[in-house]
């Protein structure tokens, strides 16, 4: 957890998750997931000095028509459809933690992201998006046209 009055640090969600599980029991997160289900793929995002990498879990895609990437208002948009690979009714499901159906995720990108140079690949159920970053504190020179 963060010290009181320290608003600049990020919350320790992993620590909070572990504490909640310890106090409320091992089924706590399963119960929460049934109340507030995940409505899209799980996403990790990390930054290296050269690029921002977004990794989305999208298992079972068989064609590019099932997923779309776009960029709008400084956000990366991931849209798609995850199809359940087995045919069962909702009544037959005893535990359902995985998400299936249409989804849209908007991921805010830093201003340094060079979105015109981003590239993506799909491999083993993971969509990996690589976005080059402009140098830290980089300055863009804007040409002035004299008439």
């Amino acid at each position: 957890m963060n010290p009181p009055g320290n608003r600049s640090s990020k919350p320790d969600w992993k620590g909070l998750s572990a504490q909640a599980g310890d106090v409320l029991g091992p089924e706590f997160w399963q119960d929460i997931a049934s109340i507030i289900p995940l409505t899209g793929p799980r996403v990790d995002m990390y930054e290296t000095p050269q690029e921002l990498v977004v990794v989305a879990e999208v298992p079972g895609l068989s064609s590019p028509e099932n997923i779309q990437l776009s960029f709008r208002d400084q956000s990366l948009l991931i849209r798609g459809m995850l199809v359940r690979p087995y045919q069962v009714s909702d009544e037959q499901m005893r535990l359902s933690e995985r998400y299936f159906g249409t989804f849209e995720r908007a991921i805010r990108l830093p201003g340094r992201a060079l979105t015109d140079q981003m590239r993506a690949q799909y491999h083993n159920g993971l969509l990996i998006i690589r976005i080059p970053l402009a140098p830290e504190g980089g300055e863009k020179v804007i040409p002035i046209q004299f008439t």
Side-chain angles (χ1 to χ4, degrees), residues 65-83:
E65 287 81 39
N66 295 116
I67 192 143
Q68 176 191 18
L69 289 177
S70 59
F71 178 75
R72 182 182 68 222
D73 299 329
Q74 205 58 36
S75 291
L76 174 67
L77 301 172
I78 306 172
R79 295 182 185 104
M81 167 72 107
L82 294 175
V83 180

Side-chain angles (χ1 to χ4, degrees), residues 58-59 122-126:
V58 282
Y122 180 75
H123 182 70
N124 286 342
L126 297 176

Side-chain angles (χ1 to χ4, degrees), residues 39-114:
T39 58
R42 292 184 169 147
V43 173
D44 289 336
M45 182 168 61
Y46 64 90
E47 187 174 318
T48 70
Q50 297 82 26
E51 67 182 357
L52 186 67
V53 180
V54 178
V55 182
E57 277 184 350
V58 282
L61 295 182
S62 57
S63 96
E65 287 81 39
N66 295 116
I67 192 143
Q68 176 191 18
L69 289 177
S70 59
F71 178 75
R72 182 182 68 222
D73 299 329
Q74 205 58 36
S75 291
L76 174 67
L77 301 172
I78 306 172
R79 295 182 185 104
M81 167 72 107
L82 294 175
V83 180
R84 186 180 287 162
Y86 37 86
Q87 299 298 316
V88 296
S89 68
D90 288 340
E91 293 79 32
Q92 291 174 290
M93 294 299 294
R94 296 293 171 243
L95 178 62
S96 181
E97 295 178 348
R98 299 175 64 205
Y99 177 79
F100 297 102
T102 59
F103 65 86
E104 179 175 319
R105 293 285 309 262
I107 301 167
R108 188 96 173 130
L109 300 178
R112 296 177 43 222
L114 300 172

